[in-house]
Amino acid sequence: MKKVLFLLLSLFLLSCFQENHYYTNTVEESSKEKIDSLKRVIEEMQKNNKAQVQDSIKGTVKQDSINKKQPKPEKKPKKKEEKKPVKLSKPTINTQTDTNTIKLKDGRISVTFGVRRENRQLIRIYGMQGQIIYTFENINLSYRISTSLGLREDNTVKTAITSTNPGASMYWYETYYTFDQDNEPLTKVEKRLPAKTIEDSKGEKYFWKKDKKKWIKQEIVLETNPIPH
């Protein structure tokens, strides 16, 4: 009986040992498989990361080479805006006679400015029939005469001012002209400047005699009362 019990106990212990050994081997094999699996995953991640880093480096090198090949555009200096002068009237130029011409709205000639020769220049004012009505002359010698014109909207002459500087003199002279709608002279007033008297400030007034083409001085009539006896 004792032998049988001993035999049964031995068999039980043997089975327990074998079972424990089997469990230990199974756990070890399972852990080894997991470790191997983790190693493979880590290796794949390292390969992928390495490939991404290489692609990024290639892209950066390629972009740098493109940037080096393309020259940077040069900055052009900004041009300063120049203010254009405002022109009140723009005469046309006749190339055949080298004169500046101001025309009426219908194309007829109103004024011509001749070429300046030997410091002299003729200014001609034309009537509605194309005839020369009046002439000014700009002179720049030892003495100086200059004329400026004022025009209406239709380019007919409205006013003219002639300034005369005799040179070696303490006075200069100005003459003021008026014209009608047909460029015909009307009046002129001659003044000596600087004015020293009332007569100098008023000047001498003249009227244009159209039929005789000359100036007539205005006469001042003084009215006097008879002295009673």
Side-chain angles (χ1 to χ4, degrees):
M1 186 66 181
K2 289 181 179 181
K3 290 181 180 181
V4 173
L5 289 173
F6 179 76
L7 181 60
L8 289 172
L9 181 61
S10 299
L11 289 173
F12 176 74
L13 292 173
L14 181 62
S15 64
C16 288
F17 175 77
Q18 290 178 351
E19 188 175 334
N20 186 24
H21 181 71
Y22 174 76
Y23 177 76
T24 302
N25 291 338
T26 302
V27 171
E28 289 178 355
E29 289 177 358
S30 176
S31 298
K32 186 177 181 181
E33 288 179 357
K34 288 181 180 180
I35 291 170
D36 293 339
S37 177
L38 287 173
K39 286 182 179 180
R40 285 194 297 271
V41 171
I42 291 171
E43 289 176 357
E44 290 293 331
M45 290 177 67
Q46 289 177 347
K47 288 181 181 179
N48 292 335
N49 190 21
K50 185 177 181 181
Q52 290 178 358
V53 171
Q54 289 178 351
D55 292 340
S56 177
I57 293 172
K58 288 180 180 179
T60 304
V61 173
K62 186 176 181 181
Q63 186 64 34
D64 290 341
S65 61
I66 293 173
N67 293 335
K68 288 180 181 179
K69 290 179 181 179
Q70 293 180 352
K72 294 182 179 180
E74 297 180 357
K75 292 184 179 180
K76 296 182 179 180
K78 294 183 178 179
K79 294 182 179 180
K80 294 183 178 179
E81 296 182 358
E82 297 181 356
K83 294 183 179 180
K84 296 182 179 180
V86 179
K87 296 182 179 180
L88 298 178
S89 61
K90 185 179 181 181
T92 57
I93 299 175
N94 187 342
T95 56
Q96 294 180 353
T97 58
D98 293 332
T99 58
N100 292 338
T101 303
I102 296 177
K103 293 183 178 181
L104 303 175
K105 299 300 181 181
D106 57 7
R108 289 178 294 175
I109 296 175
S110 178
V111 183
T112 60
F113 297 84
V115 178
R116 191 179 295 275
R117 292 189 177 93
E118 296 180 355
N119 295 322
R120 293 176 179 268
Q121 180 188 37
L122 284 177
I123 302 174
R124 297 180 176 91
I125 299 176
Y126 293 79
M128 297 299 102
Q129 304 302 320
Q131 76 281 16
I132 297 175
I133 290 182
Y134 204 78
T135 302
F136 294 100
E137 187 176 20
N138 291 334
I139 301 174
N140 190 9
L141 296 171
S142 58
Y143 62 100
R144 189 172 183 272
I145 300 175
S146 60
T147 302
S148 58
L149 300 179
L151 304 178
R152 297 184 178 90
E153 291 184 358
D154 60 355
N155 283 343
T156 57
V157 180
K158 184 178 181 180
T159 60
I161 300 175
T162 298
S163 179
T164 303
N165 187 349
S169 175
M170 60 182 296
Y171 299 102
W172 72 91
Y173 302 86
E174 288 187 352
T175 305
Y176 303 86
Y177 298 83
T178 61
F179 294 81
D180 64 11
Q181 292 284 348
D182 296 329
N183 280 356
E184 194 78 34
L186 291 176
T187 64
K188 76 172 181 177
V189 177
E190 295 179 349
K191 293 183 179 183
R192 186 180 70 172
L193 301 172
K196 289 189 175 182
T197 64
I198 297 175
E199 287 75 14
D200 288 345
S201 61
K202 289 181 178 179
E204 295 181 350
K205 190 171 184 178
Y206 296 80
F207 294 95
W208 179 251
K209 196 72 173 176
K210 184 176 181 181
D211 54 347
K212 295 183 179 181
K213 303 294 181 183
K214 69 177 184 177
W215 293 104
I216 303 298
K217 187 176 181 180
Q218 182 184 24
E219 294 182 0
I220 300 175
V221 178
L222 298 176
E223 293 184 359
T224 57
N225 295 323
I227 300 173
H229 295 284

